[in-house]
Amino acid sequence: MFRQERIYTAGGYHSTIWFLTQSCRMAYFPQLLLFVLCLALVAESKKHRRRRWTGHQDMQQLGYVFKKNHDITKIRRVKTEQLIRVDDHDFTMRPAFGGPAIPVGVDVQVESLDSISEVDMDFTMTLYLRHYWKDERLSFRSSTNKSMTFDGRLVKKIWVPDVFFVHSKRSFIHDTTTENIMLRVLPDGQVLYSMRVTVTAMCNMDLSRFPLDTQTCSLELESYAYTDEDLMLYWKNGNESLKTDEKISLSQFLIQKFHTTSRLAFYSSTGWYNRLYINFTLRRHIFFFLLQTYFPATLMVMLSWVSFWIDRRAVPARVSLGITTVLTMSTIITGVNASMPRVSYIKAVDIYLWVSFVFVFLSVLEYAAVNYLTTVQERKEVKFREKLPCTCGMPHAKTMMLDSCYNNSESDATSLAGFSKSQIVNEDTDRADKMVVHLAIRSESNASKKRGLKRLRIMQNTHAIDKYSRRIFPACFILFNLIYWSVYCYAPQRRN
């Protein structure tokens, strides 16, 4: 019994062997063999339980990622800096420093063209700017050859091209909700660097044909520090490198064309640099200016012609109408110039407005001439009546004929030749004789003298001046419009 307890408590192989040797002597071999088999089964069952428990713990540590992806670079718990070995290299220098220029491809996707200002001579554009280059220092091992994507935090630790916008006034990278920066690295070191930028840049506009103009603006990209010997900027896919959103539209302009160009820019103190251009052509919509500028100006000119149909004796009506049209034209000109830059040349809209202002002003001067000639004529009539002898003995009907001989017709004047001197009673008979002789001479004038008198009466007749103005003013204004629109609508424009 003591030997059996030793076997149960110790359970070692040495005690078992010793017990077998002793049992053989005692002839208990079958019972002992059965006992050894039971011990072997118990030991195997404990070993399987231990293996199952350790495997379960390993799965808890690795998690579900092991079943989903077998890429060892994504299963291992390592830092990003360790994976792409940022600390092992000096990223203050460009790739292949000291060697040939590193090629950096660029492509752009224009998201929106926000505004164009004629006063400030600039435009605002939002775009996605992407750079492509190869940096072998960022290469890493991957069994699936898949890329890795990072945000803007890694960009501050590696080398990126120092591209800036030439002639830009303001620019910023969008940072809502985080910085709109993306960095994608392939296992062989190919890098894609993308950012979302809004930039306000200069655009030198030629407004000599405004508002019938077409403008060409450009956004220029260039490396700030690296010359063409260190960094070579180029459009990655030629003209296909520039893509635009189909929904881009402007209130005053029609976008005709987007295209790309590139050339070298020279600075006397630093050298040659590669410069990329994003060119776009804009054509201004004319309908807004037709409603706001051209149509009101035309109406004011036509309104000034109404005074030609108003009686010349209606002084308040014609004067107030002329002053109103002049002041309205002045307001239109001031409003248009307030929204335009103070350029030193004449614009197309200035020509139209100032010519319209001249037409309105001339209509006021026309009534001034009419009023002046009317006053001169009335003064002459008064003076002539004062020189006539007294008509106390003349019948009333004949006296009226005498008054009208100077103003209206010559046929009535000839009828006075039949009166004798005895019928005209006057204190001064000599003056009466002179007047009768004068009337007789006028009645016997030749045809050429009659035509001269008619011309004089036309110049002195206010109705004739208004009559000719009704035809001359509209004809001249229509001729001006034909010349104006044919020149500015069909003549080619000088490129910027």
Side-chain angles (χ1 to χ4, degrees):
M1 293 298 293
F2 174 76
R3 291 170 185 157
Q4 292 178 356
E5 291 176 358
R6 184 180 178 183
I7 293 173
Y8 281 107
T9 55
Y13 289 101
H14 297 287
S15 60
T16 304
I17 294 172
W18 178 82
F19 180 75
L20 288 174
T21 56
Q22 295 296 327
S23 298
C24 290
R25 297 177 182 178
M26 298 178 66
Y28 291 106
F29 182 76
Q31 292 84 354
L32 293 174
L33 183 60
L34 181 61
F35 181 74
V36 170
L37 292 175
C38 291
L39 290 176
L41 292 174
V42 171
E44 289 293 332
S45 62
K46 290 182 178 181
K47 186 184 295 184
H48 285 293
R49 288 177 183 175
R50 188 180 297 109
R51 290 179 179 175
R52 286 195 298 270
W53 182 81
T54 55
H56 182 68
Q57 293 294 327
D58 293 338
M59 287 302 295
Q60 287 182 349
Q61 294 177 0
L62 293 177
Y64 184 71
V65 180
F66 183 82
K67 293 182 180 180
K68 186 176 179 180
N69 198 331
H70 297 283
D71 191 351
I72 191 64
T73 59
K74 298 182 180 180
I75 295 174
R76 294 174 57 191
R77 284 189 170 185
V78 294
K79 296 182 179 180
T80 303
E81 292 83 2
Q82 295 176 352
L83 182 63
I84 61 175
R85 301 192 303 275
V86 173
D87 297 333
D88 297 342
H89 305 281
D90 185 7
F91 282 97
T92 59
M93 296 181 292
R94 67 174 179 86
F97 183 78
I102 174 175
V104 177
V106 177
D107 68 32
V108 173
Q109 181 175 352
V110 179
E111 181 182 5
S112 64
L113 193 58
D114 302 326
S115 63
I116 296 178
S117 175
E118 294 85 1
V119 177
D120 299 327
M121 291 285 184
D122 59 18
F123 65 93
T124 302
M125 179 186 294
T126 301
L127 51 90
Y128 295 94
L129 179 62
R130 304 184 183 96
H131 308 79
Y132 302 85
W133 75 94
K134 184 176 182 180
D135 193 346
E136 295 181 355
R137 297 172 294 184
L138 299 177
S139 61
F140 60 91
R141 294 182 181 180
S142 176
S143 59
T144 58
N145 197 26
K146 292 184 178 180
S147 62
M148 299 180 63
T149 303
F150 307 93
D151 56 13
R153 288 171 288 186
L154 183 61
V155 174
K156 300 177 182 178
K157 300 179 180 180
I158 65 173
W159 181 90
V160 293
D162 60 338
V163 175
F164 78 105
F165 298 101
V166 185
H167 305 307
S168 65
K169 297 181 178 180
R170 297 174 300 274
S171 62
F172 63 92
I173 299 175
H174 292 260
D175 55 0
T176 305
T177 57
T178 59
E179 283 188 326
N180 297 168
I181 295 177
M182 185 267 288
L183 189 71
R184 182 173 295 169
V185 183
L186 293 174
D188 60 350
Q190 295 287 343
V191 182
L192 165 60
Y193 175 44
S194 176
M195 66 182 75
R196 183 167 174 253
V197 186
T198 295
V199 58
T200 301
M202 292 177 56
C203 179
N204 296 323
M205 301 181 186
D206 181 15
L207 300 176
S208 60
R209 299 173 62 90
F210 176 87
L212 304 169
D213 57 337
T214 300
Q215 303 295 338
T216 300
C217 301
S218 63
L219 183 64
E220 305 172 10
L221 293 83
E222 183 181 304
S223 174
Y224 190 84
Y226 298 100
T227 63
D228 60 340
E229 297 178 355
D230 293 324
L231 190 145
M232 183 181 67
L233 281 178
Y234 68 96
W235 290 111
K236 190 174 184 299
N237 299 315
N239 289 330
E240 299 297 329
S241 301
L242 180 61
K243 298 180 181 179
T244 59
D245 192 348
E246 296 179 354
K247 298 181 181 179
I248 295 179
S249 62
L250 294 171
S251 58
Q252 291 190 19
F253 291 92
L254 173 65
I255 303 176
Q256 290 185 328
K257 182 175 61 173
F258 272 95
H259 65 281
T260 60
T261 55
S262 61
R263 65 183 182 186
L264 290 175
F266 177 73
Y267 298 91
S268 59
S269 58
T270 55
W272 294 89
Y273 293 82
N274 294 109
R275 182 176 295 183
L276 306 180
Y277 295 83
I278 302 173
N279 303 312
F280 55 95
T281 304
L282 305 173
R283 184 175 182 180
R284 197 182 304 273
H285 293 298
I286 188 61
F287 188 73
F288 171 80
F289 297 94
L290 287 176
L291 293 179
Q292 299 296 326
T293 304
Y294 288 95
F295 189 64
T298 304
L299 287 181
M300 289 301 104
V301 175
M302 297 175 65
L303 183 62
S304 66
W305 300 340
V306 176
S307 64
F308 303 152
W309 278 264
I310 300 177
D311 189 2
R312 71 181 187 277
R313 291 169 293 184
V315 177
R318 297 190 67 164
V319 171
S320 61
L321 180 60
I323 294 176
T324 302
T325 53
V326 169
L327 294 179
T328 305
M329 285 301 306
S330 301
T331 304
I332 294 174
I333 294 174
T334 304
V336 172
N337 292 329
S339 60
M340 297 298 298
R342 296 187 177 100
V343 295
S344 59
Y345 49 84
I346 299 176
K347 303 182 290 294
V349 67
D350 294 336
I351 296 176
Y352 193 90
L353 291 179
W354 280 105
V355 170
S356 300
F357 182 83
V358 169
F359 272 94
V360 172
F361 186 73
L362 288 178
S363 66
V364 178
L365 294 182
E366 187 270 347
Y367 178 66
V370 169
N371 191 30
Y372 174 75
L373 293 178
T374 301
T375 305
V376 171
Q377 182 181 3
E378 290 177 353
R379 290 177 180 176
K380 289 182 178 180
E381 291 178 355
V382 171
K383 291 181 180 180
F384 181 76
R385 289 195 182 98
E386 291 177 353
K387 293 180 180 181
L388 291 178
C390 181
T391 57
C392 298
M394 184 180 294
H396 180 69
K398 296 300 180 180
T399 304
M400 296 301 297
M401 292 177 65
L402 179 63
D403 292 337
S404 63
C405 70
Y406 179 79
N407 294 327
N408 296 324
S409 62
E410 296 179 355
S411 59
D412 294 335
T414 56
S415 62
L416 293 176
F419 288 94
S420 61
K421 293 183 180 180
S422 60
Q423 291 177 326
I424 302 174
V425 179
N426 194 344
E427 296 178 355
D428 191 356
T429 57
D430 295 335
R431 294 179 60 184
D433 295 337
K434 293 179 180 179
M435 184 181 68
V436 173
V437 172
H438 175 70
L439 293 175
I441 294 174
R442 288 187 58 187
S443 63
E444 296 175 357
S445 61
N446 53 22
S448 61
K449 189 174 181 181
K450 290 180 181 180
R451 286 194 297 269
L453 291 175
K454 289 182 180 179
R455 294 192 192 99
L456 180 61
R457 286 198 300 272
I458 289 176
M459 293 302 297
Q460 294 180 346
N461 192 343
T462 57
H463 294 287
I465 294 177
D466 286 337
K467 181 179 179 181
Y468 286 111
S469 297
R470 295 170 190 173
R471 300 178 181 179
I472 294 175
F473 274 74
C476 293
F477 191 71
I478 292 174
L479 179 62
F480 162 72
N481 276 272
L482 292 176
I483 297 175
Y484 179 87
W485 294 108
S486 62
V487 168
Y488 285 101
C489 288
Y490 300 103
Q493 180 180 4
R494 180 175 58 87
R495 295 295 180 184
N496 297 343

